[in-house]
Amino acid sequence: LIILCSSVFVILSISASFFLSKRMMKPIIQSWNKQTEFVENASHELRTPLTIIQNKLELLLTEPQEKIMNKFENIALSLSETRRLSKLTSDLLTLARADSAETQLVKQVIDVDSFVNNVCTPYIDIAESQDKHLWLKLNSKINIEADEQRLHQLLVILLDNALKYTAEQDSIGVKTYVEDNKIVLEVTDTGIGIKKQNMKYIFDRFYREDRARSRDTGGTGLGLSIAHWIVTKHNGTITVNQNQHKGTMFKVRLPKKEITKP
Ligand code: ADP
């Protein structure tokens, strides 16, 4: 009986430790797989512009006596790919730092409406120059405690996207208001919109609904994942929806730790 009991005990403890180690290993394996996927995607994204630049420079070297004017297209393309590389590396660095929890927020009290107004004002002219219209409806009347630089980065990502994915005559709207005790920052546009079935992927790293279009407009597929990280770091949420008639609506909700203005 003693032998039987001890064998059952041994079998039970082996299976328990196997089960527990499998359970404990699962998140580590998942995180490892995620990192590997990230590195693979990043390498691929970096390689494409590098190959283009290398090809164009090699072409330039084959005819060194040619005038620069005749090589304008190759030089311009190399330059735009260099800009793309620069944006990509800075986005990758932001996300790598986010993953390592290295980045701390530097919080300060911010007047939401005047902050949003300041960030959006230059975009009114940019929109106009593209024959688009940018309107503001700022009605939060609240101060919040947040990292101003990160909030600026967030709004710029949403505004840049709104401009990228709209056509002439389209409009972009930025609204602030308070709802359910949260500060809401809404960026809407009447552009090409996002298919409902793809909305769940939109905050994933490197996800692009239309890779060719996004590449043409200088997109990296990292903007919204950075936006998501910034909002989460502020204990907020970001959601995407279809705009009422046409286009997209991004809604950022931030916790209200306010000092109400008089
Ligand atoms: P990208 O650099 O490609 O714009 P993002 O992470 O910012 O990367 O966005 C991911 C994808 O989400 C884009 O490629 C695009 O397909 C879609 N998207 C983002 N914002 C908008 C928008 N305002 N209208 C339509 N599609 C959008």
Side-chain angles (χ1 to χ4, degrees):
L1 188 70
I2 292 172
I3 293 172
L4 187 69
C5 281
S6 43
S7 344
V8 170
F9 177 75
V10 169
I11 290 169
L12 279 178
S13 40
I14 290 173
S15 21
S17 62
F18 179 71
F19 180 70
L20 275 179
S21 67
K22 226 178 142 187
R23 268 185 75 128
M24 275 155 59
M25 286 300 284
K26 205 175 165 195
I28 300 172
I29 292 169
Q30 276 173 344
S31 144
W32 174 261
N33 288 344
K34 250 178 104 177
Q35 283 299 330
T36 313
E37 193 190 354
F38 180 63
V39 171
E40 274 171 14
N41 279 328
S43 314
H44 176 76
E45 292 295 328
L46 290 168
R47 206 170 46 202
T48 312
L50 275 173
T51 310
I52 296 174
I53 295 167
Q54 188 181 345
N55 287 345
K56 296 298 163 199
L57 289 178
E58 276 168 4
L59 263 177
L60 288 176
L61 276 181
T62 54
E63 293 168 319
Q65 71 285 2
E66 270 282 356
K67 284 197 179 117
I68 282 189
M69 258 179 54
N70 300 336
K71 298 288 176 188
F72 188 79
E73 224 172 274
N74 284 345
I75 297 171
L77 191 63
S78 303
L79 188 63
S80 79
E81 290 300 321
T82 313
R83 287 202 189 101
R84 188 181 164 71
L85 269 180
S86 166
K87 164 115 179 53
L88 199 59
T89 43
S90 103
D91 284 354
L92 286 170
L93 197 62
T94 304
L95 285 170
R97 285 185 176 150
D99 285 346
S100 69
E102 202 183 288
T103 315
Q104 295 301 322
L105 296 183
V106 184
K107 285 193 176 178
Q108 64 184 93
V109 176
I110 299 169
D111 173 336
V112 177
D113 292 347
S114 54
F115 165 77
V116 172
N117 187 50
N118 286 343
V119 180
C120 290
T121 301
Y123 278 87
I124 295 176
D125 290 339
I126 299 173
E128 219 117 276
S129 71
Q130 297 178 9
D131 204 9
K132 299 170 189 175
H133 175 60
L134 174 65
W135 55 266
L136 305 178
K137 200 168 169 190
L138 308 178
N139 206 16
S140 84
K141 296 192 177 61
I142 289 261
N143 292 331
I144 57 164
E145 233 192 345
D147 185 320
E148 189 169 352
Q149 223 185 318
R150 293 294 167 197
L151 230 49
H152 185 281
Q153 193 178 7
L154 164 74
L155 191 49
V156 163
I157 290 170
L158 296 179
L159 287 169
D160 279 344
N161 276 349
L163 280 171
K164 268 195 301 197
Y165 302 107
T166 43
E168 284 176 7
Q169 309 291 322
D170 272 327
S171 64
I172 297 155
V174 181
K175 273 208 264 184
T176 61
Y177 55 95
V178 176
E179 185 183 69
D180 299 334
N181 217 28
K182 299 261 190 292
I183 298 271
V184 180
L185 171 65
E186 225 179 76
V187 179
T188 54
D189 66 64
T190 58
I192 60 167
I194 301 167
K195 289 193 192 87
K196 226 173 170 111
Q197 69 267 26
N198 292 337
M199 283 183 174
K200 56 178 176 290
Y201 306 117
I202 223 74
F203 299 105
D204 289 354
R205 293 175 182 188
F206 297 108
Y207 178 79
R208 284 173 279 186
E209 214 183 12
D210 178 347
R211 294 189 86 81
R213 188 190 167 104
S214 159
R215 197 170 196 291
D216 286 349
T217 48
T220 61
L222 294 175
L224 284 181
S225 40
I226 294 175
H228 186 269
W229 167 71
I230 294 172
V231 176
T232 312
K233 191 97 178 148
H234 281 86
N235 300 317
T237 56
I238 178 166
T239 50
V240 61
N241 253 302
Q242 277 164 341
N243 195 10
Q244 246 178 353
H245 303 295
K246 180 178 169 267
T248 313
M249 177 177 86
F250 284 94
K251 201 164 172 175
V252 174
R253 290 182 185 83
L254 294 170
K256 194 159 72 96
K257 192 183 173 193
E258 88 282 25
I259 304 139
T260 314
K261 286 184 280 183

